[in-house]
């Protein structure tokens, strides 16, 4: 299948080219506003599927809306029709097409042109009225407020918010790509189609989240970035980091026993850290009432020792680096961990709560009094 992508050098186009290649499509033809008339004609004549993404949304002159959206789409449809090509056409439009402004009118005219083309030629035609699309490779001060916020915050630049309560509808680029590529293998009737989910939020909440991502490197407190809008915003923010900002340092606490380093903290799922211990060193010697921990020995040989603080029952076990063995601490059991090997021991640690110095839930008590 020869797939033609107009506007292949744009934010959505670049993501689409990558996604199509991942799916095994190799016959891809990208054309842009810089391509010659002959290149547009040749590409569309041989197309088996067309994603028409090229357009104008922030011109220097309002008249460019008509030429870059309505007239360009008319020309795409004419070239397809003149070639007798009834290949499916997907148009990237905008929710602004519902509004009576120069941009909206130009996008609505482009939609009408695509649907007329389908009616005349029998070509399947699909129109996406996309809201604010955000994600990697978007352009600041062009594609969306999200891109501008991410760009500025990632570089320590100020952001401007006129009305933090202003509503903002967003759709993530990966969800748009999913909706696009599903049309390659469908017999869905022509018409309007959508990309989901759409996220309804506010300008202020988005800005607050993005600023929080930057601040988390200092606080080590990572928000809930595993699902939904926060996942997509976090990914987008990271995509704006310069290579020099790919890494950052966290405090490293050193004492005669070794080092202790906290990696990240979460609002409600505890924190991650690691520590080292020199041969013969024992760490721990305390118990918890509620707090629990999981230990994973990365390198070395560790002897874990436990004693029930009421019954005096004891238990010991060995864990070695590379075994993939998790050792849990249990409330009401005092415990320690000793490096019984001849090399430095490295242990990864997860605790189910963030350490609170005012209420540490850590009571000193030796396993072997």
């Amino acid at each position: 299948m020869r797939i033609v992508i107009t506007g292949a050098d744009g934010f959505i186009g670049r993501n689409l080219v990558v996604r199509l290649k991942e799916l095994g499509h190799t016959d891809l033809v990208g054309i842009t506003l810089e391509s010659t008339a002959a290149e547009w004609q040749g590409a569309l004549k041989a197309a088996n599927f067309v994603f028409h993404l090229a357009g104008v949304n922030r011109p220097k002159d309002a008249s460019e809306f008509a030429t870059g959206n309505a007239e360009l789409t008319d020309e795409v449809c004419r070239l397809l029709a003149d070639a007798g090509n009834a290949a499916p056409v997907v148009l990237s439009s905008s929710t602004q097409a519902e509004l009576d402004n120069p941009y909206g009118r130009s996008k609505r005219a482009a939609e009408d042109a695509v649907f007329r083309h389908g009616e005349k030629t029998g070509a399947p035609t699909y129109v996406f009225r996309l809201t604010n699309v955000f994600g990697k490779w978007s352009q600041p001060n062009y594609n969306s407020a999200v891109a501008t916020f991410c760009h500025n915050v990632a570089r320590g630049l100020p952001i401007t918010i006129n009305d933090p309560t202003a509503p903002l509808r967003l759709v993530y680029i990966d969800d748009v790509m999913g909706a696009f590529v599903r049309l390659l293998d469908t017999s869905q009737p022509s018409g309007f189609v959508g990309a989901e989910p759409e996220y309804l939020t506010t300008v202020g909440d988005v800005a607050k989240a993005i600023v929080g991502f930057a601040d988390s490197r200092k606080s080590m407190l990572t928000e809930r970035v595993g699902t939904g809008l926060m996942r997509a915003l976090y990914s987008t923010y990271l995509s704006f980091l310069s290579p020099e900002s790919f890494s950052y340092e966290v405090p490293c606490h050193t004492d005669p026993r070794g080092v202790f380093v906290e990696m990240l903290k979460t609002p409600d799922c505890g924190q991650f850290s690691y520590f080292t211990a020199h041969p013969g060193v024992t760490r721990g010697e305390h118990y918890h009432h509620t707090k629990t921990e999981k230990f994973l020995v990365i390198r070395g040989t560790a002897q874990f020792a436990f004693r029930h603080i009421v019954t005096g029952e004891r238990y010991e076990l060995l864990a070695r680096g590379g075994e993939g063995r998790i050792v849990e601490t249990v409330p009401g059991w005092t415990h320690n961990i000793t490096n019984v090997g001849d090399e430095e021991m490295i242990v990864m640690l997860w605790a189910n709560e963030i350490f609170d110095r005012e209420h540490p839930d850590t009571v000193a008590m030796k396993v072997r009094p």
Side-chain angles (χ1 to χ4, degrees), residues 6-229:
T6 76
D9 59 343
F11 161 44
I12 296 178
R14 293 170 69 186
N15 277 273
L16 180 58
V17 169
V18 169
R19 179 64 63 89
L20 291 171
K21 289 180 178 179
E22 290 171 354
L23 295 174
H25 294 283
T26 57
D27 195 356
L28 306 178
V29 180
I31 47 179
T32 72
L33 296 179
E34 303 300 320
S35 300
T36 66
E39 289 171 332
W40 279 77
Q41 182 179 27
L44 293 169
K45 180 178 181 179
N48 301 119
F49 201 102
V50 178
F51 287 98
H52 180 36
L53 311 179
V56 173
N57 62 357
R58 293 185 185 271
K60 294 180 179 179
D61 188 279
S63 63
E64 296 176 45
F65 282 132
T67 57
N69 294 324
E71 294 176 16
L72 177 62
T73 304
D74 269 330
E75 181 65 8
V76 168
C77 294
R78 184 189 69 78
L79 290 171
L80 287 167
D82 287 351
N85 189 345
V89 178
V90 172
L91 172 68
S92 173
S93 185
S94 167
T95 52
Q96 292 282 312
E98 301 171 354
L99 304 181
D100 188 21
N101 57 43
Y103 177 60
R105 290 193 293 270
S106 72
K107 297 303 281 188
R108 190 163 58 251
E111 295 174 356
D112 293 341
V114 167
F115 285 140
R116 284 196 305 270
H117 170 71
E119 292 171 359
K120 291 180 180 179
T121 65
T125 50
Y126 308 100
V127 171
F128 283 83
R129 279 188 172 175
L130 297 171
T131 185
N132 297 286
V133 184
F134 71 102
K136 65 183 183 299
W137 308 331
S138 51
Q139 297 182 50
N141 305 305
Y142 186 80
N143 288 125
S144 73
V146 174
T148 304
F149 291 164
C150 288
H151 174 271
N152 285 17
V153 172
R155 286 156 181 78
L157 302 174
I159 58 177
T160 301
I161 304 173
N162 296 321
D163 180 6
T165 66
L168 191 59
R169 287 173 60 194
L170 300 172
V171 62
Y172 185 45
I173 187 64
D174 285 5
D175 296 320
V176 175
M177 295 301 98
F180 277 9
V181 300
R182 281 192 290 272
L183 292 173
L184 293 171
D185 302 304
T186 184
S187 56
Q188 181 174 333
S190 297
F192 289 101
V193 287
E196 296 180 341
E198 287 188 359
Y199 300 105
L200 181 59
T201 182
T202 66
V203 172
D205 284 345
V206 168
K208 180 181 178 181
I210 293 170
V211 170
F213 298 151
D215 291 344
S216 70
R217 287 191 164 189
K218 294 180 180 179
S219 69
M220 292 183 285
L221 183 62
T222 297
E223 291 298 327
R224 301 170 182 86
V225 294
T227 60
L229 177 59

